[in-house]
């Protein structure tokens, strides 16, 4: 493929310092380390302290991505999040301002767990169309703030975190150039993962309650596997790659069993499937950049590696893309 493309020029991540392991959860919920590890693969997750917000995480990850990009200019900030600091205004302008980028274009994008791939596609589109020169794409969520602390079916699964990349304009033949995207949604199944209250539907009636996230786990599991595998196949086909050419699959870190199943569906062996869900849980919009950065730090993603990235989340939403891993240091 030739021509103009959006190229990843830097990547940074940040996790709130407080770690909650399965033993701690087992003391306050009717659950066990054994259940959580065997059903999800998760051993621990990071959660925010009281008073810490999504913007705080996004600023930390954004600053690190800018440092990793080493002087690459940014005129747009796209923040993928389902947990903005406020219903109004969006959080991206505050994040941009705190990063010393006051004046740039800044907006939030809510694609839940597929949000980062959607935001990458939006950022890449702006760069390739010539609307933006450099885009800071951040995925940040404090999903722990949406959870019912007494709900054992959701609390063990989610963690808080942030990851960010800087996109610049370059050539499709360069390392780090984003390939074609596949994006999709199915709103008919929105009720499978939802926070019922807090939006206009509930506010217009004034009905109370329903401020916590709820999820119907089993069908979501099936949808996650089917949608990610199907979407990844479309992105692969558009890139003109075959499955054996894929060095690493970076899929949304929702559950180790889901990762295994997506790999199986695609015929990608487990040693080529990136996995950090054990240490961070499901970090929603931060999941993909956190998994990429951790894999790069561990030497599992090397410059030139062919990466297939796919994600799935509430909405339902899903998305995939491809890239050859750039030669850069995650910060
Ligand atoms: O980012 C995208 C969003 N989310 C996902 O991708 C999550 C997709 N779903 C899943 O990962 C899995 O469905 C879960 C991990 C959420 C649940 O695993 P499961 O194997 O589907 O379990 P289940 O919901 O069918 O529950 C099995 C049993 C139930 O008990 P009964 O009805 O069999 O007596 C649950 O009440 O396990 C029980 N259970 C628990 N037990 C101990 C549910 N949560 C827990 C828990 N500890 N934390």
């Amino acid at each position: 493929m030739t021509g103009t493309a959006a190229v990843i020029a830097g990547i940074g991540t940040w996790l709130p310092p407080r770690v909650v392991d399965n033993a701690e959860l087992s003391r306050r919920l009717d659950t066990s380390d054994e259940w959580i590890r065997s059903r999800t693969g998760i051993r621990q997750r990071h959660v925010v302290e009281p008073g810490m917000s999504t913007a705080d995480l996004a600023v930390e990850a954004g600053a690190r991505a800018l440092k990793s990009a080493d002087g690459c200019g940014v005129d747009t900030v796209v923040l993928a999040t389902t947990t903005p600091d406020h219903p109004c205004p969006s959080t991206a302008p505050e994040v941009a301002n705190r990063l010393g980028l006051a004046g740039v274009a800044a907006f939030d994008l809510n694609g839940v767990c597929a949000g980062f791939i959607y935001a990458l596609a939006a950022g890449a589109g702006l760069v390739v169309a010539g609307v933006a020169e450099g885009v800071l794409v951040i995925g940040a969520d404090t999903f722990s703030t949406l959870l019912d602390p007494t709900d054992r079916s959701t609390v063990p699964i989610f963690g808080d975190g942030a990851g960010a990349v800087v996109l610049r304009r370059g050539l499709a033949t360069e390392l780090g150039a984003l390939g074609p995207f596949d994006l999709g949604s199915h709103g008919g199944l929105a009720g499978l993962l939802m926070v019922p209250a807090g939006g206009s539907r509930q506010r217009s009636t004034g009905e109370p309650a329903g401020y916590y996230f709820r999820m119907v786990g089993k069908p979501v599991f099936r949808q996650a596997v089917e949608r990610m595998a199907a979407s990844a196949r479309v992105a692969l086909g558009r890139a003109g790659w075959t499955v054996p050419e894929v060095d690493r699959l970076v899929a949304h870190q929702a559950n180790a069993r889901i990762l295994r199943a997506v790999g199986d569906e695609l015929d990608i062996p487990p040693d080529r499937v990136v996995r950090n869900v054990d240490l961070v849980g499901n970090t929603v919009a931060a999941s993909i950049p956190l998994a990429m950065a951790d894999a790069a730090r561990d030497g599992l993603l090397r410059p030139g590696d062919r990466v297939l990235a796919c994600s799935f989340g509430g909405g339902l939403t899903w998305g995939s893309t491809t890239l050859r891993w750039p030669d850069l240091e995650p910060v």
Side-chain angles (χ1 to χ4, degrees), residues 180 231-242 308 322:
S231 175
R233 272 192 212 102
V234 173
L236 263 190
R238 288 182 182 157
W241 294 3
T242 62
L308 173 60
T322 59

Side-chain angles (χ1 to χ4, degrees), residues 31 35 39 113 152 157 193 215 217-218 252 255 257 282:
T31 189
W35 191 96
R39 297 293 177 122
C113 298
R152 69 176 183 174
I157 293 170
L193 306 96
M215 173 174 75
K218 275 203 187 309
H252 171 49
N255 180 326
R257 288 159 55 215
N282 180 345

Side-chain angles (χ1 to χ4, degrees), residues 54-143:
T54 294
D56 299 334
L57 275 58
V59 166
E60 294 289 347
R64 284 164 174 76
L66 290 168
K67 188 170 175 214
S68 168
D70 197 20
C72 182
V74 160
D75 57 13
T76 304
V77 174
V78 185
L79 173 63
T81 189
T82 309
T83 49
D85 281 22
H86 311 281
C88 173
S90 63
T91 303
E94 177 186 331
V95 171
N97 186 50
R98 286 170 57 184
L99 287 169
L101 297 169
V104 302
F107 62 95
D108 290 3
L109 186 157
N110 180 350
V112 198
C113 298
F116 188 78
I117 299 275
Y118 266 72
L120 264 189
L126 293 173
V127 165
V128 171
V131 177
E133 289 296 319
V135 181
L136 177 61
V137 179
I138 309 174
D141 268 305
T142 50
F143 219 71

